[in-house]
Amino acid sequence: MAFPQHVDFLIIGAGIHGISTAWKLAERLEERGEAVEGRIAILDKSGIAAGASGIACGVVRNNYFQPAMRRLMAHSVDVWESDPEGLSYHPVGYMQISCEAMREDIAQIFSEQREIGYESVFIEGQNASTKYMRGIFGDWQAQNITSVLHEKRGGFSNQTKTMYAMADKVEKLGVRILTGVTVKELISENGSSAISAVQTDKGRIGCEQLIIGAGPWVRDFWDMLGLPGQITVKDLNGDVHEGVDMWRYWQLEEGVLQIDPELGKADDGSLPPVIHVDTDAPLHSTVDGSLITDEMWGIYYKPDWHFGGIQGGASPYKVDTPVNEVQIDPYGPSSPEFVASDEFAHMWVSALAHCQKRYEGTMPKYHREASGGIGCFTADSFPVFDRFHDNATVIADSNHGWKMIGVGHLIADEVLGEPQKLLEPFRFDRFEKGELHPVSNSPYPWS
C-alpha cells in the first residue's frame, strides 16, 4: 500500500497507548456511522511493542496511594476485564504485603478503594498477616510484615500476545500500522502553532490531530514540540523550585527465575495473585548468607508461562547520566548500558527465598540473558496527559504505562471533543500550580 499523504488522526508509537487510542477512535467513528479506512494511522520506528510495552512484566493493579491514580487504574481494570481472553489477561488479583512503615498508607488505600467500589481485603497485624499468607502459600516466611492488601481484581497479562491481539483488532477496524518509520520533524504552517504534518524518513504525512504515545522516547518528541526541558515546580508545601528537569530516567530491574511455573502456584493448585512485598527486614543472600541490605526493599513476582518461569522485579534505580545525554537506543535487552545487573539477580532471588522457602538455593536457575530497560519519568514521577499547540496530545505515562490500557480510550474521547475528568489531575500545569499528587512511603517512585 502507498505511504499515506494525509490522515485525520496520526498516532506516534505502536505500544499500549498508541494502539489503545486507535482502538477506541476506530470504534467511536464506527458508532457514528463514519468510515475508518484511511483516517487513522500509527507510526513506529521499529515495530509493534518494540519499546517498553514489549518488555513489560504485564502486571495490572490498583495499588496506588494517589486518589487520582486509583480512579484511573480502576477504569483501566474495567477495560482489561472487558475481554480477558482476547487480551491474554489473567484476573488473578494482586497483593501488597508491607512492613509497619507502610501500614498507615496501605490502610488509606484500602479505605479509598472501598469508596470507589474496588474490591479488596485488608489484613493488619504481624500474626494475622502471616496466617493469611500461609493460607495461600504454606512456605510463606517473609519477616516484618504487618499488613496485607489483597486486591481481588487486577492480575497480569502476556504483553506481546496482548499487543499483537490489539494490533489485529485495530487493523480489522481499518487502522493502518506503519512500522519501520522514523519521525524526523513536527511541522506547523500558516502562522499557526498547530501541527499540520509530520516529516518521516519515508515521507511527509499531514494530519488533523496528532497523538504522541512514545514511551521512553517522549523526551525527544517533547523537544520537537518546543516544550521546556526544565520547568518550575511548586511543591505540596508551597515552595517553588526553578529549573527542575521535566524528565528523568530510571533503570528498570526485572528478570526470570527459570523453574517450572507450576512451582509458583498456590497450595490449592490455583494461579496465585501477583505478589508484591515491601519490607524493612534485613535481606540476606540465598547463596552465602551475607547481608545484602538492612534498608527497606521491595520485590514483585508471579509464575508466568509466557516468560517460562517466575517473573518479576525490584525497585528501579535512577540513571545518573544527564537527561539530554541518555541514549535510549538500542532499547531494552539490546542496550549495552541499561539492562538488569548481576546485583539485581542476587538481590531478587534472595528476596524470593526470604518470602518463600521453595525459592531457597535457586540462584543457579536465574535467567542470565539481558533483561529490563529504562523508563522516562516526569518531574513528579506521575503521568502527563495533555494537549499542546491546539492539536497535539501527549501521553507521557511516566512508566506507569502497561496497566493503563484505558488511558488510550480516554484520550480518544478527548481528541473527539469530550473532556475526561479522570485525566484532569494529570495536566502539565499542575507543576506550576502546585497541584501535585501525594507521595507514599513505598520504595518505588510510582506508588
Side-chain angles (χ1 to χ4, degrees), residues 347-367:
M347 175 270 169
W348 184 66
V349 177
S350 296
L352 288 175
H354 175 96
C355 293
Q356 292 185 252
K357 190 173 182 63
R358 70 190 68 179
Y359 299 119
E360 291 179 354
T362 58
M363 191 68 223
K365 298 291 186 180
Y366 182 80
H367 184 47

Side-chain angles (χ1 to χ4, degrees), residues 124-168:
E124 292 190 85
Q126 187 164 329
N127 291 339
S129 297
T130 298
K131 181 179 179 181
Y132 190 84
M133 293 308 301
R134 287 183 179 166
I136 301 171
F137 304 114
D139 64 338
W140 184 260
Q141 57 187 19
Q143 300 297 303
N144 292 14
I145 301 301
T146 63
S147 69
V148 176
L149 178 63
H150 185 176
E151 298 180 1
K152 297 296 187 174
R153 299 172 69 187
F156 69 97
S157 53
N158 303 128
Q159 88 284 31
T160 50
K161 289 183 179 180
T162 300
M163 289 306 307
Y164 280 98
M166 289 173 63
D168 183 60

Side-chain angles (χ1 to χ4, degrees), residues 384-388 392-396 411 414 426-429:
V384 167
F385 308 123
D386 214 340
R387 176 174 290 204
F388 303 92
T393 299
V394 174
I395 304 173
I411 292 293
E414 286 208 329
F426 301 98
R427 306 307 188 194
F428 175 57
D429 64 4

Side-chain angles (χ1 to χ4, degrees), residues 221-232:
F221 289 98
W222 190 261
D223 289 344
M224 288 186 195
L225 288 167
L227 297 171
Q230 292 189 319
I231 61 173
T232 298

